[in-house]
Amino acid sequence: MAVLASRRIQAPFTEKVVRGLALGESVLLSGPVFTARDRLHKHIFEGGALPVALKDGALFHCGPVMLQKEGVWQVRAAGPTTSMREEPYVPTVIRTTGIRVIIGKGGMGAATEEACAKFGCVYLQATGGAAQVLARTVERVQGVHFEKEFGMAEAMWELVVKDLPAIVAVDARGDSLFRKVAASSCRARYHLLRDHPAEPGGKKGRSAR
Amino acid sequence: MRNIGLVLENSLLQLVRRTAVDIPADVEAVVRKACADEPQASNARAVLETILENIRLARQVDAPLCQDTGGLLFYVQVPAGWDTNCFASAAGAAIARATREGTLRQNTIDAVTGQECPLNLANGSPSIHFTQAARDTIDVRLVIKGGGSENVGCQYSLPNEELGAGRDLEGVRRCMLDTAFRAQGQGCAPGILGVCIGGDRASGYACSKEQFLRKMDDRSPVSVLSALEERALQEANQLGIGPMGLGGKTTLLGVKIGSLSRVPASFFVSVSYMCWAFRRRGILLESGGGIIRWLY
């Protein structure tokens, strides 16, 4: 594997460390992370009680496949889920819990980007579908909460990870790599449509009805 | 009958396991090529190398390639008059076992109550398409398709003002480019488009997904569609969205276009998006349910 110069970061995350992460930088993250999907986000957003303190910690947008063997939970697969579904909740979640790192896939919206800048939080992109690479980084399953209420995929799994690879996709200034790519791809699309010669018999790009 | 049922169930369990774990060679080959095309010290390259490592690791530990073990789409060609209920029953039993053992995530939810449907068996899960033919073997193909990719598919009704898309192949081109652009990295790019020109809203989408049964290196037998497949692929890659939408040279790995007839008043272009974790396998069975050979 090509080795980008990756910075190692360890939970709990200080504001200084988080604000020092550069957009597009490659990191290896270690320490406890808490999985959080739709049900848990809604629960936190609505002021629901949490059994653990999340301050200076990391949330992982993930619904892992878990297996219990002789009473011990093991991670069978653990890639990130699409983060954008949580956009309505995340700014509040950042504000009320004090988390500093969100690991997910696909990026977040403007409100989350602003919250990252305001409160000192970053969004890290973990490779989508890399369920085995990420499962391998889990040293142990420390606990699980809300499994009965939310089910396996939506429960809050506490996973202790070592060197989980991710890329800083939204930094603590609120700048987003996804927005940059969306803007440049928008320009490229414009050229791919504009430069096409007119269809016979109608306006450019259209046929007669 | 019970004996056939168990043999069939075991064959289908093998199919489910291999599909979930072991990406087909033709898909892996295009991912490798895409990786080699990206510059060494780029995020795009790092993402694709992670993907290749994941493919390797999934095989090594015999575990799911991706944690979203998705919806299961079976495409089954059976001898005329063959008992399809027997197949559905065996498939259900195989899926239940695959879920219990952790090959499939508990991934099926009642859309009204929000409750989990145990063992991934419910109205609508799995999806099985049967066709009958004059044959004595059973051809079973399985596509496992995750929710993230499903969310970024799109169906267009032409003409479409916003896209400047008329009822012609140029309009179809604009629709495909639009889907690839809107998806950005959200469908776990680099992805594959399955496209159907024509049909109604239901058959159009169904046909678009059947395009995923085609191999990565095949081309449409219809020359204008083959040319359009090639062009759409090149143009999507010119968008520069890249793996996971972080920028790069490969935004799509392939484009597959099929068509159906349509009624005069309608002109649908249905575009389904498949993620890089393109889980597609197949088995040929003898009439007793045992595996003769693997397809793909």
Side-chain angles (χ1 to χ4, degrees), chain A residues 34-40 60 62-64 66 143-158, chain B residues 116:
Chain A
F34 297 88
T35 66
R37 279 172 61 113
D38 312 35
R39 296 286 301 269
L40 182 63
F60 182 18
C62 172
M66 306 294 288
V144 61
H145 312 284
F146 304 112
E147 202 221 334
K148 278 203 182 60
E149 298 92 322
F150 299 162
M152 181 200 288
E154 299 268 353
M156 186 184 196
W157 294 92
E158 188 174 347
Chain B
E116 282 186 349

Side-chain angles (χ1 to χ4, degrees), chain A residues 1-4 24-26 37 39 62-65 67 76-82 84-85 105-107 125-134 136 150-153 165 167 169 177-178 181-182 184-186 188-189 192-194 196 199 204-207 209, chain B residues 40-43 45-47 49-51 53-54 56-58 61-67 69 100-106 114 116 148 151 159 161 163-168 170-171 173-174 177-178 181 184 186 188 231 235 238-241 244-247 276:
Chain A
M1 261 170 81
V3 178
L4 292 180
E25 183 174 2
S26 180
R37 279 172 61 113
R39 296 286 301 269
C62 172
V65 181
L67 263 188
R76 191 134 158 81
T81 189
T82 305
M84 196 62 82
R85 292 199 309 275
K105 115 174 121 91
Q125 163 89 10
T127 298
Q132 293 310 314
V133 166
L134 293 168
R136 189 176 54 175
F150 299 162
M152 181 200 288
I167 293 166
L177 202 45
F178 295 105
V181 171
S184 59
S185 61
C186 189
R189 181 179 72 147
L192 287 166
L193 295 178
R194 189 199 64 177
H196 181 77
E199 282 292 318
K204 184 155 66 175
R206 296 202 205 182
S207 61
R209 200 157 168 172
Chain B
Q40 275 279 0
S42 65
N43 282 329
R45 177 103 176 212
V47 167
E49 288 187 340
T50 301
I51 285 172
E53 172 64 6
N54 193 71
R56 187 197 70 76
L57 198 52
V61 302
D62 196 23
L65 191 63
C66 173
Q67 79 293 339
T69 53
R100 280 194 206 97
E101 72 188 19
T103 295
L104 296 177
R105 186 173 72 177
Q106 178 49 61
E116 282 186 349
N151 288 350
E161 276 300 318
L163 297 182
R167 291 185 162 194
D168 49 29
E170 165 60 13
R173 178 186 82 95
R174 287 169 175 254
L177 195 60
D178 183 69
F181 169 74
Q184 293 290 307
Q186 302 282 339
C188 280
R231 182 175 176 186
E235 290 184 346
Q238 284 171 46
L239 294 175
I241 290 166
M244 300 297 143
L246 297 174
W276 71 260

Side-chain angles (χ1 to χ4, degrees), chain A:
Chain A
M1 261 170 81
V3 178
L4 292 180
S6 296
R7 193 200 301 220
R8 288 199 151 82
I9 56 174
Q10 172 88 36
F13 307 99
T14 65
E15 182 167 1
K16 186 175 176 207
V17 161
V18 160
R19 289 200 183 279
L21 293 174
L23 193 65
E25 183 174 2
S26 180
V27 299
L28 295 170
L29 184 151
S30 297
V33 302
F34 297 88
T35 66
R37 279 172 61 113
D38 312 35
R39 296 286 301 269
L40 182 63
H41 275 81
K42 190 163 183 288
H43 175 82
I44 299 173
F45 179 81
E46 289 171 352
L50 286 175
V52 289
L54 294 179
K55 190 170 182 332
D56 297 336
L59 285 186
F60 182 18
H61 291 165
C62 172
V65 181
M66 306 294 288
L67 263 188
Q68 204 168 25
K69 267 191 178 147
E70 287 147 21
V72 176
W73 282 108
Q74 292 172 0
V75 183
R76 191 134 158 81
T81 189
T82 305
S83 298
M84 196 62 82
R85 292 199 309 275
E86 321 306 347
E87 176 64 12
Y89 309 118
V90 167
T92 300
V93 168
I94 293 174
R95 180 175 54 79
T96 58
T97 64
I99 49 152
R100 294 233 176 258
V101 172
I102 301 169
I103 306 161
K105 115 174 121 91
M108 307 286 322
T112 297
E113 290 160 8
E114 277 174 29
C116 284
K118 186 170 176 186
F119 296 105
C121 184
V122 288
Y123 176 90
L124 307 180
Q125 163 89 10
T127 298
Q132 293 310 314
V133 166
L134 293 168
R136 189 176 54 175
T137 67
V138 179
E139 288 188 317
R140 64 184 185 282
V141 182
Q142 196 126 286
V144 61
H145 312 284
F146 304 112
E147 202 221 334
K148 278 203 182 60
E149 298 92 322
F150 299 162
M152 181 200 288
E154 299 268 353
M156 186 184 196
W157 294 92
E158 188 174 347
L159 309 176
V160 179
V161 301
K162 183 162 164 42
D163 291 345
L164 187 153
I167 293 166
V168 180
V170 179
D171 65 14
R173 289 201 310 240
D175 289 334
S176 161
L177 202 45
F178 295 105
R179 279 199 193 281
K180 289 187 197 300
V181 171
S184 59
S185 61
C186 189
R187 284 191 296 275
R189 181 179 72 147
Y190 173 74
H191 290 294
L192 287 166
L193 295 178
R194 189 199 64 177
D195 293 339
H196 181 77
E199 282 292 318
K203 279 205 244 177
K204 184 155 66 175
R206 296 202 205 182
S207 61
R209 200 157 168 172

Side-chain angles (χ1 to χ4, degrees), chain B residues 187-265:
Chain B
C188 280
I192 300 99
L193 297 188
V195 185
C196 175
I197 307 171
D200 63 28
R201 287 195 185 274
S203 63
Y205 259 133
C207 169
S208 72
K209 287 188 178 181
E210 281 170 31
Q211 301 309 305
F212 298 132
L213 298 178
R214 292 169 53 185
K215 288 189 75 173
M216 291 303 295
D217 56 3
D218 84 352
R219 304 179 72 123
S220 169
V222 179
S223 62
V224 290
L225 295 185
S226 171
L228 192 53
E229 287 173 349
E230 182 61 36
R231 182 175 176 186
L233 177 60
Q234 282 174 13
E235 290 184 346
N237 288 336
Q238 284 171 46
L239 294 175
I241 290 166
M244 300 297 143
L246 297 174
K249 294 183 178 174
T250 305
T251 299
L252 291 182
L253 298 171
V255 175
K256 304 291 181 192
I257 307 173
S259 72
L260 291 171
S261 61
R262 62 178 180 87
V263 297

